Amino acid sequence: MVVSPVTVHPPDFVPVRRALISVFDKTGVVDFARALADRGVVIVSTGGTRTALEEAGIAVTNLAEVTGFPEIMDGRVKTLHPAVHGALLGVRDNPTHADAMTAHGIAGIDLLAVNLYPFAETVAGGADAATVVENIDIGGPAMIRAAAKNHAYVTVCVTPQDYDDVLADLDAYDGATHLHLRQRLAAKVFARTAAYDAAVATWFADEVREEAPEWRSFAGRLAIGLRYGENPHQSAALYLTGEKRPGVATGRQVQGKALSFNNINDTDAAFELVAEFDPDTEAAVAIIKHANPCGVAVGDNLIAAYGRALRTDPVSAFGGIVAVNRRLDAATAAEIVKVFTEVIVAPEADEEAVAIIAAKKNLRLLITDGLPDPRAKGLDVRSVAGGLLVQSRDNGVVAPGDLKVVTKRAPTETEMADLLFAWRVAKYVKSNAIVYAKDGATAGIGAGQMSRVDSAMIAARKAEAAAEAAGLDESLAIGAVVASDAFFPFADGLIATAEAGATAVIQPGGSVRDDEVIAAADDRGLAMVFTGMRHFRH
């Protein structure tokens, strides 16, 4: 195979004399084109972009005049032509390329401004498959990749945000762009097309119900650069995947200092947890610390739920994240700000609540305009050495009808309500997880221990500490129910919860020693139900 020689040392400065502009997102394009025309740049354009520029009084050459070929097939074919790609790919100081351009009447394109059909937005809008397919851009990615490959001579813009940088270079360098800008914009092109193709590939995998495609691509667009990651020596940034899921990544920060990496991680955990509770049925509040709940409660209103969530672990709540599942009101906001809090996240907030929070200049307030659907499908991705570990989102839920009573005593109606509440909370507690709950509020939480017995003991101790802080005579665990995110491998963990005062247990079941665990529950008069579903969270 013969490889055409390329410039070993690309020129620092390349004059812009001819530009091709064809954009779907027309933000700022008229002003950009006018600025180019004022600098003597010849503009070539297509379709709706050409119409918009002509209506603005800007002289434009129709691309069809350049190619000698009209747009066909409903616009599917208009830029896929040698007169376009030769103009973008020709190496200007390669004699063979220069001769070919002359022989075929190809004038070079020095600047390309193209952005792509809104594929991800079309998918997110719920369009049918035929509409989605029509929004797979072909000519756009082909052109911008060609221009990026030939960045030694061609400047390429893929977003309206690039326009000012290009004009600044033209002003600074007498109508030319600098190699550094062309390199940076070329790098952006390949990142953009990779993200675009990743979105298409993901949609197709979903369409054909392929859960583990041979090639899996992930991409995101930079939302914010962060000061650092989990620790100051780690760099970090937040990227948006395009998934329209209400939460920390898509919410609006109303006030407060910039979110940190840990803030974002914890806020996501908190908001996903409160979304498990229907706001039309009950108000819910979750207080999160280091991605683990330190208090969760439901109630008739937010202020009542917050007070009971805080009671679970008022010490750990210091510096935590507070999430609510309803419109944040002034009374609840006034209570929350009494405790040092890093972030408050809510679907909505009253003006009075916003004003109260504004008095704490560093306290972040995020408004999400909705709750995430805990039953929605999605992917969970994390890195491992040399690869990515991918699984479907834990969207499992259980209803009363899914539960199997395995003990001699069945739960009472009150116990059953608390068991279902505790089970929802346990889904968001790091494994091994033990959650005590009573009257729609957590009483003690044990998280992230290597032994389930240790988690049970920690949760019991938390329940005792909460009672002491509240001036109560007995542990909050007495008379509570308990949820375990996975089965009890031995009876000792269940016995520890019974000794702490629990009266009923919810767990997945499935241990080879289930009979021993059930017998231990019966011996102590506990009611126990199996879910048949596990909620490990690592």
Side-chain angles (χ1 to χ4, degrees):
M1 183 179 77
V2 177
V3 178
S4 298
V6 296
T7 301
V8 177
H9 300 292
D12 284 341
F13 303 102
V14 173
V16 175
R17 301 186 179 94
R18 192 162 178 259
L20 171 57
I21 304 176
S22 180
V23 295
F24 185 90
D25 179 0
K26 296 178 176 54
T27 304
V29 73
V30 170
D31 290 339
F32 181 55
R34 181 176 287 111
L36 293 176
D38 289 345
R39 289 167 171 81
V41 177
V42 175
I43 297 174
V44 180
S45 191
T46 64
T49 304
R50 177 172 60 86
T51 300
L53 299 184
E54 287 178 339
E55 289 177 350
I58 300 170
V60 181
T61 300
N62 188 346
L63 182 64
E65 297 176 18
V66 175
T67 63
F69 210 90
E71 294 183 17
I72 61 174
M73 301 177 184
D74 300 318
R76 281 191 171 198
V77 179
K78 55 186 175 184
T79 61
L80 298 170
H81 193 281
V84 174
H85 287 272
L88 293 171
L89 284 165
V91 177
R92 309 294 198 263
D93 56 3
N94 179 323
T96 303
H97 289 206
D99 289 346
M101 293 176 75
T102 300
H104 296 285
I106 298 174
I109 295 172
D110 309 307
L111 170 65
L112 178 70
V114 169
N115 51 59
L116 309 180
Y117 294 167
F119 177 83
E121 293 81 359
T122 302
V123 173
D128 59 81
T131 303
V132 170
V133 168
E134 285 306 310
N135 277 275
I136 298 175
D137 204 331
I138 301 299
M143 285 193 293
I144 62 177
R145 284 175 61 86
K149 176 175 180 175
N150 202 27
H151 64 271
Y153 306 95
V154 182
T155 305
V156 55
C157 302
V158 290
T159 67
Q161 290 72 32
D162 300 331
Y163 300 158
D164 286 344
D165 290 342
V166 171
L167 294 177
D169 256 29
L170 297 182
D171 286 340
Y173 304 120
D174 194 24
T177 60
H178 195 282
L179 176 62
H180 291 164
L181 175 65
R182 300 195 302 277
Q183 288 174 325
R184 180 169 62 80
L185 293 177
K188 184 174 181 177
V189 164
F190 291 113
R192 178 70 186 100
T193 56
Y196 195 84
D197 286 342
V200 175
T202 297
W203 176 78
F204 261 113
D206 290 342
E207 280 292 292
V208 299
R209 294 178 173 81
E210 192 168 5
E211 294 183 355
E214 182 176 1
W215 297 94
R216 171 70 85 175
S217 300
F218 298 95
R221 183 174 184 176
L222 180 66
I224 51 172
L226 304 173
R227 288 180 60 201
Y228 53 80
E230 283 185 288
N231 300 291
H233 63 276
Q234 295 173 266
S235 61
L238 172 65
Y239 287 84
L240 303 181
T241 63
E243 182 185 19
K244 302 303 181 184
R245 186 174 179 85
V248 62
T250 56
R252 294 177 288 112
Q253 184 170 349
V254 175
Q255 75 126 60
K257 61 184 180 180
L259 290 164
S260 71
F261 181 98
N262 294 328
N263 291 154
I264 292 170
N265 187 55
D266 292 351
T267 302
D268 179 68
F271 201 58
E272 290 285 332
L273 195 166
V274 293
E276 293 280 344
F277 301 95
D278 184 354
D280 294 332
T281 303
E282 55 197 353
V285 174
I287 305 172
I288 295 285
K289 194 74 168 291
H290 302 308
N292 270 309
C294 50
V296 184
V298 294
D300 293 334
N301 51 59
L302 288 179
I303 192 168
Y306 174 74
R308 298 169 71 232
L310 181 63
R311 184 184 67 171
T312 305
D313 193 348
V315 174
S316 297
F318 183 85
I321 311 292
V322 176
V324 301
N325 72 337
R326 284 183 177 176
R327 186 179 185 89
L328 182 64
D329 58 89
T332 306
E335 286 300 309
I336 294 173
V337 299
K338 291 178 180 178
V339 177
F340 171 60
T341 301
E342 292 278 4
V343 182
I344 301 172
V345 57
E348 301 174 276
D350 292 340
E351 290 184 11
E352 295 88 346
V354 174
I356 290 169
I357 295 167
K360 304 286 185 178
K361 65 177 182 178
N362 290 330
L363 173 56
R364 298 95 162 174
L365 173 61
L366 267 67
I367 303 299
T368 63
D369 298 322
L371 291 169
D373 180 0
R375 295 167 180 78
K377 294 181 179 180
L379 293 178
D380 174 54
V381 185
R382 62 193 71 184
S383 64
V384 294
L388 295 173
L389 194 59
V390 182
Q391 65 176 345
S392 60
R393 177 184 288 131
D394 184 358
N395 62 350
V397 296
V398 298
D402 301 322
L403 302 179
K404 178 183 178 182
V405 178
V406 295
T407 48
K408 295 175 182 177
R409 184 173 77 80
T412 66
E413 184 176 344
T414 299
E415 287 174 328
M416 182 61 79
D418 281 337
L419 287 170
L420 289 169
F421 168 83
W423 181 249
R424 292 180 183 179
V425 175
K427 178 179 175 180
Y428 294 89
V429 179
K430 299 288 186 180
S431 300
N432 289 315
I434 294 291
V435 177
Y436 291 90
K438 183 163 57 178
D439 299 328
T442 49
I445 299 172
Q449 299 305 304
M450 291 67 75
S451 161
R452 195 160 298 276
V453 176
D454 287 344
S455 290
M457 295 172 64
I458 289 171
R461 179 68 190 97
K462 289 284 189 180
E464 292 171 0
E468 292 171 4
L472 302 176
D473 294 331
E474 63 179 20
S475 168
L476 294 184
I478 296 175
V481 306
V482 66
S484 175
D485 65 340
F487 61 64
F488 289 99
F490 301 95
D492 53 0
L494 179 132
I495 292 170
T497 66
E499 290 176 347
T503 63
V505 178
I506 186 170
Q507 59 134 318
S511 168
V512 295
R513 295 182 178 84
D514 273 349
D515 289 344
E516 295 177 23
V517 177
I518 293 169
D522 283 333
D523 289 345
R524 289 158 180 80
L526 272 64
M528 186 160 63
V529 296
F530 284 179
T531 65
M533 176 185 293
R534 188 179 74 186
H535 277 315
F536 269 162
R537 184 177 176 88
H538 289 107

